[in-house]
Every structure is written in C-alpha cells, then in structure tokens.
Amino acid sequence: MKIKHSRKLFLKKSAALSLLPFFRPEYLQLEESNLSENFRGPLVLSTWSHGMAANQAAMALIENGSNALDAAEAGVRVSESDPNVSSVGYGGLPDRDGYVTLDACIMDWNGNCGSVSFLQHIKNPISVARKVMEKTDHVMLSGEGALQFALNQGFKKENLLTDKAKDRWVEWKKSNLKKSVIDDHDTIAMLALDEDGQIAGACTTSGLAWKLHGRVGDSPIIGAGLFVDGKVGGAAATGKGESVIKIAGSHLIVELMRQGRSPLDACKEAVERIVEKQPDHRDFQVGFIACNIQGETGAYSLQKGFQYALNTSTEQKLIDSDHLL
C-alpha cells in the first residue's frame, strides 16, 4: 500500500513541476504524504462476532478507494440492517415499554462528528448521524427532533420491532417486570483506517434490553462510546454505557495513546480505571477497541467473553480479547 500511495504522490508532484514555468515559486505548494513511516496499511476493527460481516463490507470499500468515513458508515449499516442482531438497529430488543430506541455516532479524522440518540423508526441511525454532521451546525439530535430531521432527509419510517424481539420482550414481562439485563449489550463499534492513513469511527446500538424508556448510553456520546483524532488514532466501546460515560472511556484511550501508550495498554488502563472507580464492576461487562494511525491495534475487556473482529489486506479474524477479571 505504501507503493500505491507513493505513486499517487509522485504523479501529483510531476504534474505540479510541469507547471513551474507558469507559477511564481511562492505560490507553488506540493502535497506531502500524511502517512507515518511505520504505517502498516489499511484495516478495519470492530466489536463482537457480527463485526465480521460489517468489516467485510467496510474493507471492500477501502480496497476500492473509498475513505475511512464511508467505510465505517457502510460497515456498521450491515449490523443495523440485520434482524438477527438483537442489539443494533432493526431487530434490536426494545425498552421495558416495548419501544425500539436507537443511538449512534460517527466521527472522522478531522474531528467532524454527528450523533443521534433516542431515535425511533429509522433502521440506520448511523446514516442519520452522518447527516447531522454534514447538514447541520449541531453534533447531536435526539428523540422526536432526530426523527423529524431523518424524515426530512429522506429516511423511511419503519417498524423496527421484529416478531422475534417482541416475543423475547413478552417473555421478559412475564418473568420479571422490574429487572433489567446487561447481557444484550453487543453494540457494534468500528474503527477504519484507509490507504491514506485517515481514520474514522462509527458506533451504533439499540442499547440495553428492557431499559427505562428514554435511557441513552455511551454509544452516541463523542468521547465516551467513540473518539477519533487524525494525528493519534481512535477508540470505541461496548458494554454497560453508564460505566463508559463515567470515565469518558474512548477519549481517555486516545489521550493515553497520544502520550505514547500502545492501543492495548491504553484499553487496559481504561478498564482498570473502571475497576478503581466503580465498586459494582463485577456485575457488568465493558470492552474497548483501539487503533493508532500506524495501524497498531488493541482491545481489552473487564470480563471474559469479549470478542472483536479485525480485517487487513491479508487477513480476517475474530479475536478473543484479553480481560481483567
């Protein structure tokens, strides 16, 4: 991939140099590569096993020349549109009142970002979040306002409660109306690094099953569920959102990488921070993924069982994360 990028740079320089007789030197600026000397090539990193299919879609776009932002959006849309994924988009488990409410955010290498929370009736909230980023002066829209914005942008209003999800909700109501659960938390969070060394991320979820109506977790919150810095790298979270919000988890990891920590060490430090600050940490799961702009990746979770998917130009694999407890 370095060779391909170098060839693009060579062609740009050659074209610029051919125009030297027509321009004064002070007006001629040649574009330089933004790639690190240690750049390992493009990759896609995402949470959980359903990230495998999402990664394939994202990586296919990168290999065809698309940038990291387009890849991240398209990748997580795969999980959002899959009715067999019970924690994201269409097919997501409802809140305790039977409503499917969705949260999502997206962020690029320049710090541009968009977010939606408590959004109903729209299958692909990640694409609405991108419209918020690109079409408004805001970062986040929520609830009825987010829905009206989505409809104005041409999104289709749909019933997102599948028969399978409804049946599970009915069974839960029969068993225990007061108890919420932490076991359906398989948010998809994705980081994509393209051939030009640009990084972007996306995070989308239907949130905790049987949550209180109106509850919003970390997934739409920039700095909690997702954070990206084009000079450093990116990080994203999954698991109990309240715990991630309390430590601004993804922002913490990126700042640790800025200070020289590896993605793995930074993710581990974030988990250790949760253990230090939150006495009930044995009762829930949190996992983090991270990637720096050189293409080094890492992941770490609180409990055993967190898996993440990694795609590069030469491999695709599902990895069991290291964990603390």
Side-chain angles (χ1 to χ4, degrees):
M1 296 304 173
K2 286 184 181 179
I3 295 174
K4 181 177 179 181
H5 185 86
S6 298
R7 177 171 173 76
K8 287 197 297 184
L9 183 60
F10 170 77
L11 291 174
K12 289 179 182 178
K13 285 186 174 182
S14 297
L17 289 171
S18 70
L19 296 174
L20 273 173
F22 306 100
F23 291 95
R24 290 165 54 187
E26 60 266 32
Y27 294 138
L28 182 63
Q29 292 184 346
L30 300 182
E31 180 183 342
E32 296 295 337
S33 172
N34 66 340
L35 292 181
S36 163
E37 292 181 359
N38 298 318
F39 181 62
R40 304 181 182 187
L43 62 84
V44 182
L45 184 69
S46 66
T47 55
W48 304 107
S49 59
H50 55 89
M52 296 287 282
N55 279 11
Q56 285 183 338
M59 197 66 191
L61 284 180
I62 290 175
E63 290 177 339
N64 284 322
S66 294
N67 65 36
L69 184 66
D70 291 339
E73 179 190 3
V76 300
R77 279 176 62 99
V78 172
S79 293
E80 287 180 334
S81 301
D82 187 347
N84 294 314
V85 178
S86 64
S87 56
V88 181
Y90 179 58
L93 295 176
D95 61 24
R96 62 183 53 204
D97 295 331
Y99 298 100
V100 179
T101 67
L102 308 179
D103 305 322
C105 73
I106 194 166
M107 191 171 190
D108 73 10
W109 52 92
N110 288 321
N112 300 310
C113 52
S115 168
V116 290
S117 66
F118 194 48
L119 176 64
Q120 299 182 59
H121 306 300
I122 304 296
K123 182 185 292 184
N124 297 116
I126 196 64
S127 294
V128 184
R130 183 167 180 179
K131 289 292 187 183
V132 173
M133 178 180 78
E134 295 178 341
K135 301 294 186 180
T136 79
D137 294 328
H138 309 309
V139 169
M140 178 182 284
L141 293 178
S142 186
E144 185 64 24
L147 174 59
Q148 290 304 314
F149 172 78
L151 296 176
N152 291 339
Q153 292 295 315
F155 289 87
K156 180 183 177 182
K157 187 174 182 179
E158 302 179 65
N159 176 21
L160 303 182
L161 184 62
T162 62
D163 290 341
K164 182 179 179 180
K166 184 177 180 179
D167 288 344
R168 289 189 61 182
W169 172 65
V170 170
E171 287 301 314
W172 171 78
K173 287 186 69 177
K174 290 178 180 177
S175 62
N176 190 341
L177 276 172
K178 296 182 179 180
K179 185 178 180 182
S180 187
V181 293
I182 308 297
D183 58 348
D184 284 292
H185 54 249
D186 300 353
T187 301
I188 183 164
M190 176 179 287
L191 301 169
L193 187 67
D194 64 30
E195 291 184 349
D196 291 327
Q198 298 173 142
I199 188 168
C203 186
T204 179
T205 188
S206 56
L208 292 178
W210 336 134
K211 63 195 174 187
L212 288 173
H213 188 61
R215 180 263 187 187
V216 173
D218 66 307
S219 296
I221 300 177
I222 300 299
L226 174 71
F227 194 75
V228 170
D229 187 316
K231 294 183 178 180
V232 181
T238 185
K240 186 182 178 184
E242 287 80 0
S243 296
V244 177
I245 293 170
K246 289 175 181 179
I247 64 162
S250 293
H251 182 266
L252 170 63
I253 290 169
V254 172
E255 290 307 300
L256 289 169
M257 291 194 295
R258 191 191 307 277
Q259 297 168 19
R261 304 284 287 276
S262 71
L264 174 59
D265 287 344
C267 289
K268 184 178 180 181
E269 171 64 25
V271 170
E272 290 173 345
R273 190 76 58 89
I274 289 174
V275 171
E276 176 187 353
K277 299 289 186 179
Q278 301 175 34
D280 62 339
H281 58 265
R282 293 186 178 276
D283 298 332
F284 56 83
Q285 173 70 300
V286 168
F288 293 104
I289 58 172
C291 172
N292 61 28
I293 58 171
Q294 288 76 39
E296 183 182 9
T297 64
Y300 203 80
S301 64
L302 181 57
Q303 313 275 1
K304 182 179 180 181
F306 173 48
Q307 294 180 309
Y308 63 101
L310 173 65
N311 278 52
T312 69
S313 298
T314 59
E315 64 179 350
Q316 176 183 357
K317 54 186 177 180
L318 185 66
I319 305 169
D320 292 324
S321 170
D322 290 336
H323 54 94
L324 187 62
L325 301 181

